[in-house]
């Protein structure tokens, strides 16, 4: 259980005052016990000295002198008798004779007062010449010149200590409550309230409210200075936070611009890499076209051979047109997302890198899905195509630079697996792969494992950016020395997120 600061202060103050009064009460009780002990011995000392003075000349007690003795008011009950005519019967019952006095009176005695017990105690005290405690009082022999003249019994109840405590207890409780309330009010105003104010301000600052300011006390003490220092600190932190936020905003804006420029550069670099392949795809049919045009220009060309040349020209132009159309589909342009056939995008991408793959001796294995329309997603065809071109180019770079351990030779596997919620497009090469400690960083901007001058570190970063635009996911796995695999998960054209 957690107690508030105010409750803890209240409990500590109350406990402190209670402990203080308890210590004072303990000390007072010891003093009163000493007083009680002295008072208990007072009857013996007082009566032993005073009562014998009441013995008259006839060797008997003077009733008038005894009754006029002022010390009887100190006792609650008393019995005085002379021994001269005191007798004990055959049954042991004591019958007083002569003077038998009750100086305090017998009206306040209890109904069960045992007079025989008291008389027996007085008889015994006279025999042994020593006080005897009995029946809640004290039996004392009365002697003069070592001669026992009689005896008395007195009672004082209750002890002074008990009565004093009974009388002082309400005052102690009231004083404790008043002092506790007063001390708590002073501490609450001067200490607890400023501390609670500081704690509340600290919690608000921790929650992000840097503009919080506390009400400053008008007095001059340490806690007031602490409140003012807190306000100054909060103002300083708020200023630092505002400047830091501005610096972060500027740095973020510069990073975004740099990333956008880097992505544009990567797109241009990717298109530049395609230039050689496109030139190759166009030059091959262009050479045949030039030969066919030259042959058709000969005047002595037989009509029977003219038609084959014309068909050769038509096929060459159609091939060049297909290459140009394929390139146009990969040209960056701003367009809304629309249904895209991933199988067609994969086919176009493979065709655009096939010339380089043949030159490097790399086999590309790709099997389109059997059903039409099973590989349709919603997105940008040129964006997905450029991301796939980056993956194919990275795979060719890895095989060209690191080779393969596969006896069957270098190979790139492209898979397109339709699923209910998403489409999986995977590109795998059997090249050297990436070490495990470098795998988490391969998607970082400008990070590359290629030789200096061979890579920009933008390929996989561009792929990540493209997948974010299409609300998809990317997974990268590698077996060092065996393979490197990138899986792209695209949400279905009718779905929301992959």
């Amino acid at each position: 259980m957690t107690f508030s600061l105010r409750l803890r202060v209240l409990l500590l103050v109350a406990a402190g005052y209670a402990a203080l009064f308890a210590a004072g009460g303990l000390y007072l009780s010891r003093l009163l016990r000493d007083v009680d002990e002295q008072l208990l011995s007072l009857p013996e000392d007082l009566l032993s000295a005073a009562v014998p003075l009441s013995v008259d000349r006839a060797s008997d007690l003077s009733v008038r002198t005894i009754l006029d003795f002022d010390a009887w008011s100190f006792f609650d009950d008393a019995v005085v008798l002379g021994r001269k005519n005191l007798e004990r019967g055959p049954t042991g019952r004591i019958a007083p004779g002569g003077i038998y006095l009750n100086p305090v009176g017998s009206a306040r005695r209890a109904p069960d007062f045992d007079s025989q017990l008291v008389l027996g105690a007085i008889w015994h005290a006279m025999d042994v010449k020593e006080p005897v405690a009995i029946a809640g009082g004290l039996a004392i022999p009365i002697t003069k010149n070592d001669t026992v003249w009689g005896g008395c019994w007195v009672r004082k109840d209750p002890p002074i200590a008990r009565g004093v405590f009974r009388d002082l207890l309400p005052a102690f409780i009231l004083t404790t409550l008043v002092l506790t309330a007063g001390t708590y009010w002073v501490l609450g105003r001067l200490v607890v309230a400023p501390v609670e104010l500081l704690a509340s301000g600290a919690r608000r600052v921790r929650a992000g409210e840097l503009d919080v300011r506390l009400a400053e006390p008008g007095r001059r003490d340490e806690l007031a200075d602490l409140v003012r220092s807190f306000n100054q600190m909060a103002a300083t932190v708020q200023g630092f936070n505002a400047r830091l936020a501005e610096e972060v905003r500027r740095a973020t804006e510069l990073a975004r611009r740099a990333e956008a420029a880097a992505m544009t550069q990567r797109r241009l670099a990717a298109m530049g890499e395609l230039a050689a392949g496109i030139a190759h795809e166009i030059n091959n049919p262009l050479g045949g076209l030039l030969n066919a045009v030259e042959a058709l220009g000969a005047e002595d060309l037989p009509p029977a051979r003219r038609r084959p040349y014309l068909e050769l020209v038509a096929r060459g132009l159609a091939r060049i047109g297909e290459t140009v159309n394929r390139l146009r589909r990969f040209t960056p342009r701003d367009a809304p997302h629309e249904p895209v056939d991933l199988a067609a995008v994969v086919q176009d991408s493979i065709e655009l890198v096939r010339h380089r793959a043949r030159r490097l001796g790399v086999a590309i294995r790709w099997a389109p899905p059997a059903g039409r329309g099973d590989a349709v997603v919603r997105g940008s065809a040129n964006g997905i195509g450029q991301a796939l071109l980056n993956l194919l180019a990275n795979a060719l770079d890895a095989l060209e630079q690191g080779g393969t351990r596969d006896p069957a030779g270098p190979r790139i596997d492209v898979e397109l697996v339709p699923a209910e919620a998403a489409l999986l497009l995977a590109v795998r090469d059997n090249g050297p792969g990436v070490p495990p400690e470098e795998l988490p960083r391969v998607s970082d901007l400008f990070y590359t494992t290629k030789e200096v001058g061979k890579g920009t570190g933008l390929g996989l970063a561009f792929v990540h950016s493209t997948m974010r635009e299409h609300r998809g996911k990317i997974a990268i796995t590698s077996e060092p020395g065996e393979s490197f695999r990138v899986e792209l998960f695209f949400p279905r054209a009718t779905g929301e997120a992959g």
Side-chain angles (χ1 to χ4, degrees), residues 38 49 196 219 239 306 375 398 413 421:
Q38 294 177 6
E196 288 179 339
R219 61 183 185 276
R306 187 176 299 275
D413 296 321

Side-chain angles (χ1 to χ4, degrees), residues 425-438:
L425 175 58
V427 177
R428 177 188 181 275
D429 65 76
N430 58 354
V434 175
E437 63 274 11
E438 296 184 7

